[in-house]
Amino acid sequence: MAYSRTVARGWSLMNNLDWKIVAELHATPNITRTAERLNMTQSALSKRLQQIEDELGAQIVVRFCKGVILTPEGEYLATKAREFLTGYEEMRRTLLKVGNGQSGLIRIGATNSFVRSILPPHLKKYQRQFPNVEIDITSDTSANLITKLKDFSFHVAFIWGEMDGDFERVLLNTNQARAVSCTPITLADLPKMPQVVYQKDSFARKLMDTWWRDNFDEPPHIGMHANHGDTCREMVLAGLGYAIFLSNAFLPENCGLFELPLTYADGTPVVRNSWMVWQKDISRIPLVRNFVEFMRSHLSEPAPSRTGLATRVNLPVTG
């Protein structure tokens, strides 16, 4: 009986059961026992085996009275069957993990202060709990993050300040703005001192402009620009001017600076909220829902408040 035709035609017509038939025949070269293992009748298996051979244009088995033997084409196909079934099971397990939020890619947008000072320890805990989730994180200003969130560039964003848009959100923290200097300062000193300004988004600039006009008739004296809050803090430590910070993220407890909490003219504190935000309905995705719930429980824990008059905690002296 000739069986030299190559395995070529009809490859895409093979289904999952077909691959199991070939793999089982290789492991158990007997039609009756293979049918039993696959919960099929012997006639149904023989019929499907004939259809596979017709579709592929190749004879897979040679039948004998006591069983079957795989042809060279059948041996080759059995190797491919094992590869397919192994890959299929791996894909199925992965899909189950993705479906229950245990695996996949979560895209996050966050401000620099979140990325550098707030998120890392919480993301480390998250990865311990969800080791198969891949995290893609991008830093930007709050205003730009909101624009990208509207375009679904991120699943979740961590921002400062109030935002426009119909988002789901969780309030994470409220920080009081403060002026910082390497020497003691009062509110009346600020217009006469050079200010070190670091890059802020439109939300923050609007807040600071409103506060300044509420307290002073003259504009601030800008002495230096810095591209980042950490850089700005170091410039202030070097005595190059004072700065105004809207987040405690750049001001650790032992940063060595005098701090003056800011208020409006009527005594109301100048505060800015931090938020975790996401598009409505996107939390229906289990991966996003798990991430939001994890971060909600960890990041919304209340932090110690920092209020009062300008104070200073000295940095430890190191060699």
Side-chain angles (χ1 to χ4, degrees):
M1 189 179 296
Y3 52 79
S4 60
R5 289 170 295 177
T6 59
V7 179
R9 295 188 289 111
W11 183 271
S12 62
L13 299 179
M14 295 278 288
N15 60 37
N16 195 47
L17 178 59
D18 295 339
W19 292 114
K20 289 182 178 179
I21 289 172
V22 175
E24 285 294 338
L25 280 174
H26 182 266
T28 308
N30 181 283
I31 295 290
T32 302
R33 289 201 295 271
T34 294
E36 291 174 352
R37 291 171 66 90
L38 295 177
N39 296 314
M40 301 175 67
T41 64
Q42 181 176 336
S43 60
L45 188 146
S46 296
K47 182 179 179 180
R48 185 55 197 155
L49 183 59
Q50 184 62 56
Q51 290 172 338
I52 294 171
E53 290 181 327
D54 290 344
E55 289 167 0
L56 295 178
Q59 186 172 357
I60 299 173
V61 299
V62 177
R63 294 162 178 81
F64 296 96
C65 58
K66 293 185 178 181
V68 297
I69 184 171
L70 267 66
T71 64
E73 290 98 328
E75 291 285 351
Y76 170 76
L77 195 61
T79 300
K80 293 300 179 182
R82 289 193 298 273
E83 292 176 1
F84 171 84
L85 292 171
T86 299
Y88 177 83
E89 285 303 313
E90 181 180 350
M91 177 185 66
R92 190 177 66 85
R93 288 193 297 270
T94 299
L95 286 175
L96 287 173
K97 291 179 180 178
V98 172
N100 60 22
Q102 301 293 315
S103 180
L105 172 67
I106 184 84
R107 295 190 302 277
I108 303 167
T111 65
N112 258 322
S113 58
F114 268 103
V115 171
R116 294 170 65 91
S117 308
I118 300 173
L119 285 180
H122 300 293
L123 291 178
K124 186 175 183 180
K125 293 177 185 176
Y126 173 80
Q127 285 198 316
R128 288 197 191 113
Q129 185 169 333
F130 299 94
N132 295 314
V133 173
E134 183 181 353
I135 298 174
D136 184 336
I137 187 164
T138 301
S139 63
D140 209 329
T141 63
S142 294
N144 287 342
L145 291 173
I146 288 299
T147 298
K148 293 176 182 178
L149 193 65
K150 290 177 181 178
D151 295 335
F152 293 94
S153 297
F154 307 121
H155 292 114
V156 181
F158 296 89
I159 69 162
W160 292 96
E162 307 312 308
M163 83 243 29
D164 297 323
D166 191 18
F167 297 109
E168 299 291 336
R169 66 192 74 190
V170 172
L171 177 63
L172 301 177
N173 206 346
T174 298
N175 283 180
Q176 183 174 1
R178 56 199 63 240
V180 299
S181 174
C182 65
T183 58
I185 53 174
T186 66
L187 188 66
D189 295 327
L190 300 187
K192 299 174 289 185
M193 297 175 62
Q195 183 182 150
V196 182
V197 179
Y198 69 94
Q199 182 181 358
K200 296 182 176 70
D201 59 52
S202 57
F203 301 160
R205 288 195 299 270
K206 182 178 179 181
L207 181 65
M208 282 294 89
D209 289 346
T210 300
W211 169 79
W212 188 273
R213 289 194 301 269
D214 192 52
N215 283 275
F216 308 108
D217 294 326
E218 55 192 299
H221 169 38
I222 306 300
M224 180 176 293
H225 291 269
N227 68 339
H228 194 272
D230 287 339
T231 306
C232 180
R233 183 191 62 240
E234 295 306 309
M235 297 301 102
V236 175
L237 278 167
L240 295 171
Y242 77 97
I244 295 176
F245 286 92
L246 300 178
S247 166
N248 294 336
F250 299 116
L251 300 173
E253 290 292 340
N254 295 323
C255 67
L257 292 171
F258 290 92
E259 299 183 6
L260 177 66
L262 302 183
T263 63
Y264 293 102
D266 63 1
T268 304
V270 180
V271 298
R272 187 171 65 151
N273 296 322
S274 63
W275 302 89
M276 175 172 63
V277 295
W278 61 95
Q279 286 275 34
K280 275 191 169 183
D281 298 330
I282 202 170
S283 59
R284 292 181 181 179
I285 301 173
L287 176 66
V288 179
R289 182 172 63 249
N290 288 349
F291 180 82
V292 166
E293 290 305 316
F294 181 93
M295 289 298 169
R296 186 201 303 266
S297 65
H298 288 76
L299 277 171
S300 59
E301 297 170 353
S305 61
R306 296 169 63 179
T307 58
L309 298 177
T311 57
R312 178 178 185 176
V313 180
N314 289 321
L315 288 167
V317 177
T318 58

